[in-house]
Amino acid sequence: FKADKEVIDIVLLNSIDCYLNCGIGTENTKEVNISAVNKNTVLNITCASASYMGSYVTFRTVNPEAVMNFSNITLEKSNWTATTWNTYNIEFYTDVNIDNCIINHPVTFCTKAVVSNTNIMGYRDNASHYAVWVCEGADVTFNGGAIIGTRNIKVDDEYSNSGELTKLTVNNTAFVSTDTKPAILVKVPNAEITVNNAS
């Protein structure tokens, strides 16, 4: 994961545990492609510790302008703790494309993301946590798949208060929740929300 290459291609044959908090690649890396031969193959990011700060887990590249592509894989997180709502989340601070995947955890998108044919399984306990957080200034598109959690999507400035335009587009995506909150809760003043054929 620390290869000094412009393009890093990783294909998993078996599930693995991997510590990724320090980022993938180097400052020269422009693209990271991670896939698996079977969608049930798990890439499990481990935390530095089970403590409060150690429970924050991110998928990020060393080069902040690089793009990460995940396909046909299950993403998981270990050593999570629930000292606050956001210690549950896998956080993306790098532009990301996720296709035909399973994410077994709540997730946060803070830059640009396209999520296609992917199920986000946001349940972790009985608390009122959101399956997806969209940061202020992010540009996130969902195409197909499902967002499943106690609550579904929150667009908020908890991660960023840049004041920049936040974009969320949802196309043909299913929402499943047990809470009475709206499927999409928007808490930022400068947001553009588009929903087509959600259920």
Side-chain angles (χ1 to χ4, degrees):
F1 287 88
K2 293 297 182 183
D4 186 17
K5 296 181 177 181
E6 285 194 0
V7 178
I8 297 175
D9 293 310
I10 300 168
V11 180
L12 298 186
L13 301 180
N14 300 293
S15 298
I16 65 168
D17 293 333
C18 186
Y19 174 62
L20 291 179
N21 282 24
C22 295
I24 299 174
T26 68
E27 61 276 1
N28 298 317
T29 301
K30 297 179 179 178
E31 181 178 332
V32 177
N33 302 302
I34 301 178
S35 62
V37 295
N38 184 310
K39 189 161 68 172
N40 293 322
T41 301
V42 177
L43 173 60
N44 181 44
I45 26 179
T46 61
C47 304
S49 70
S51 67
Y52 173 75
M53 290 306 295
S55 61
Y56 289 99
V57 171
T58 66
F59 275 117
R60 82 167 70 216
T61 51
V62 173
N63 176 8
E65 297 181 357
V67 176
M68 296 188 72
N69 301 303
F70 294 91
S71 60
N72 199 45
I73 196 169
T74 295
L75 303 179
E76 180 59 279
K77 167 187 171 183
S78 65
N79 292 344
W80 57 272
T81 57
T83 49
T84 66
W85 57 268
N86 53 345
T87 57
Y88 278 86
N89 294 14
I90 296 173
E91 301 168 2
F92 289 93
Y93 292 95
T94 299
D95 289 358
V96 62
N97 298 299
I98 301 172
D99 182 49
N100 193 39
C101 293
I102 298 170
I103 302 179
N104 276 331
H105 232 280
V107 63
T108 299
F109 297 107
C110 289
T111 52
K112 184 174 183 179
V114 178
V115 183
S116 303
N117 304 313
T118 291
N119 290 346
I120 297 177
M121 315 296 288
Y123 289 117
R124 300 315 288 178
D125 60 12
N126 294 323
S128 297
H129 294 110
Y130 286 88
V132 174
W133 282 76
V134 177
C135 302
E136 188 171 24
D139 182 355
V140 179
T141 299
F142 290 96
N143 296 312
I147 298 170
I148 303 166
T150 309
R151 298 177 180 176
N152 295 127
I153 299 177
K154 190 173 187 181
V155 182
D156 207 340
D157 63 358
E158 293 281 356
Y159 286 84
S160 166
N161 55 4
S162 65
E164 297 178 0
L165 175 65
T166 306
K167 293 183 179 181
L168 172 64
T169 304
V170 180
N171 300 310
N172 303 303
T173 301
F175 291 89
V176 180
S177 69
T178 58
D179 203 293
T180 58
K181 289 284 187 180
I184 302 173
L185 181 63
V186 180
K187 302 284 284 187
V188 296
N190 190 16
E192 182 180 290
I193 311 298
T194 304
V195 179
N196 299 301
N197 298 320
S199 61

